[in-house]
């Protein structure tokens, strides 16, 4: 399904599968059976296929460490993932990103307009994700949808690429539902990731679970519920929290039944 995974090739987009080996178009189901097929999913999403209505299931653990994860699954609002990704309690490791761009994570951008994305039942391990704004272990930017039962292990680092890098989280970098869409939810997730500005200046909104959580109104809002941070450190210049860095709200709190493990080090102003 993919090219020979032998260096000097640098990026996964150079080694994507030619096609998914298991796909049922009538049922709208796809099985991800290899690293190259995950790279194909990312490539297609960044090219404009949002997979709305599809259920995509991971069939085994994947190790992506041989190459750079140069194209997250979804790159922006117009190239977003809006299907259901079921990790089936498998682990993806080796998601390595070194970028000065925005919307970085395993998934870069999730949800658009009336089409939510769902990411569930997945563990991320042994990864280093570096970016500017909206950077998370599972999702960089969650516009509309749900991240549920996802876990980021202590072998994962979420890092700033430079000064002024904002909105970084162990699970999700930023939630931002608006008047056009409904809710964004992060539920029953755990993170032990190191989330840090990496010594850069003027970096804000860093959280063990979510960097920036947006609560527009009682109708259009994002919420973080039933989550647990047990990592060693979250650090940035300002707006730093074990669960959420900045919880921007109009009504309600947006956070419920969340906990962190003392003595995690939370350093910054705010």
């Amino acid at each position: 399904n993919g090219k020979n995974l032998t260096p000097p090739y640098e990026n996964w987009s150079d080694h994507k599968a030619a096609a998914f080996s298991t796909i049922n178009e009538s049922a709208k189901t796809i099985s991800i059976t290899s690293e190259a097929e995950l790279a194909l999913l990312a490539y297609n999403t960044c090219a404009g296929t949002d997979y709305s209505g599809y259920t995509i299931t991971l069939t085994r653990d994947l190790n992506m460490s041989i190459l750079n994860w140069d194209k997250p699954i979804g790159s922006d609002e117009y190239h977003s993932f809006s299907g259901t990704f079921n990790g089936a309690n498998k682990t993806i490791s080796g998601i390595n990103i070194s970028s000065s761009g925005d919307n970085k994570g395993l998934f870069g951008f999730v949800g658009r307009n009336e089409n939510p994305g769902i990411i569930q039942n997945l563990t991320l391990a042994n990864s280093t994700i570096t970016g500017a704004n909206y950077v998370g272990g599972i999702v960089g930017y969650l516009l509309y949808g749900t991240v549920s039962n996802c876990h980021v292990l202590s072998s994962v680092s979420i890092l700033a690429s430079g000064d002024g890098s904002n909105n970084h989280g162990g699970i999700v970098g930023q939630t931002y539902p608006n008047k056009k869409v409904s809710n964004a939810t992060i539920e029953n997730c755990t993170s032990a990731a190191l989330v840090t500005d990496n010594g850069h200046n003027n970096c804000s909104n860093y959280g063990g679970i979510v960097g920036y959580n947006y609560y527009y109104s009682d109708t259009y809002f994002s919420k973080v519920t039933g989550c647990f941070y047990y990592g060693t450190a979250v650090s940035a210049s300002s707006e730093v929290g074990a669960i959420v860095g900045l919880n921007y709200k109009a009504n309600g709190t947006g956070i419920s039944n969340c906990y962190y493990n003392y003595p995690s080090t939370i350093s910054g102003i705010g």
Side-chain angles (χ1 to χ4, degrees):
N1 289 330
K3 301 177 184 177
N4 185 352
L5 301 185
T6 301
Y9 296 106
E10 182 175 310
N11 297 320
W12 268 110
S13 60
D14 296 323
H15 295 282
K16 62 187 181 295
F20 297 112
S21 60
T22 306
I23 181 169
N24 185 325
E25 291 288 3
S26 60
K28 289 194 170 184
T29 60
I30 299 171
S31 294
I32 300 295
T33 65
S34 70
E35 288 82 357
E37 288 187 353
L38 188 71
L40 177 62
L41 176 67
Y43 185 90
N44 288 349
T45 305
C46 289
T49 302
D50 69 3
Y51 291 99
S52 177
Y54 278 82
T55 296
I56 299 166
T57 302
L58 190 60
T59 64
R60 65 175 180 87
D61 295 341
L62 300 179
N63 183 352
M64 311 299 293
S65 62
I66 190 173
L67 300 170
N68 294 322
W69 190 239
D70 59 309
K71 288 186 181 294
I73 304 170
S75 58
D76 56 43
E77 184 176 357
Y78 302 100
H79 305 85
S80 65
F81 179 81
S82 295
T84 295
F85 187 94
N86 182 6
N89 299 314
K90 303 296 191 298
T91 297
I92 295 176
S93 61
I95 295 296
N96 295 314
I97 301 172
S98 180
S99 172
S100 58
D102 299 340
N103 307 329
K104 301 302 177 184
L106 173 61
F107 290 79
F109 204 104
V110 171
R112 179 170 182 257
N113 293 338
E114 290 75 30
N115 299 321
I118 298 172
I119 319 299
Q120 60 190 11
N121 308 324
L122 180 65
T123 296
L124 180 69
N126 297 314
S127 300
T128 300
I129 299 172
T130 303
N133 303 301
Y134 325 124
V135 180
I138 304 296
V139 178
Y141 198 121
L142 179 61
L143 179 67
Y144 179 22
T146 300
V147 178
S148 176
N149 193 34
C150 289
H151 311 284
V152 175
L153 303 186
S154 62
S155 54
V156 176
S157 297
I158 311 297
L159 307 177
S161 61
D163 293 351
S165 296
N166 301 318
N167 304 0
H168 288 215
I171 300 291
V172 173
Q174 171 166 309
T175 64
Y176 201 87
N178 56 43
K179 292 181 180 180
K180 297 179 183 178
V181 299
S182 188
N183 301 356
T185 300
I186 299 96
E187 60 185 9
N188 303 323
C189 294
T190 65
S191 172
L194 171 68
V195 185
T196 175
D197 60 11
N198 209 23
H200 295 293
N201 299 315
N202 301 317
C203 298
S204 62
N205 311 333
Y206 281 52
I209 302 296
V210 181
Y212 182 103
N213 188 54
Y214 188 77
Y215 198 104
Y216 181 81
S217 71
D218 287 340
T219 303
Y220 304 104
F221 61 90
S222 55
K223 61 181 179 179
V224 184
T225 181
C227 294
F228 178 53
Y229 179 72
Y230 63 104
T232 58
V234 181
S235 63
S237 304
S238 62
E239 306 298 345
V240 180
I243 303 300
V244 171
L246 177 63
N247 188 45
Y248 184 89
K249 61 184 184 296
N251 296 292
T253 66
I255 304 171
S256 63
N257 299 318
C258 293
Y259 304 91
Y260 76 96
N261 183 51
Y262 181 83
S264 297
T265 300
I266 313 300
S267 60
I269 300 172

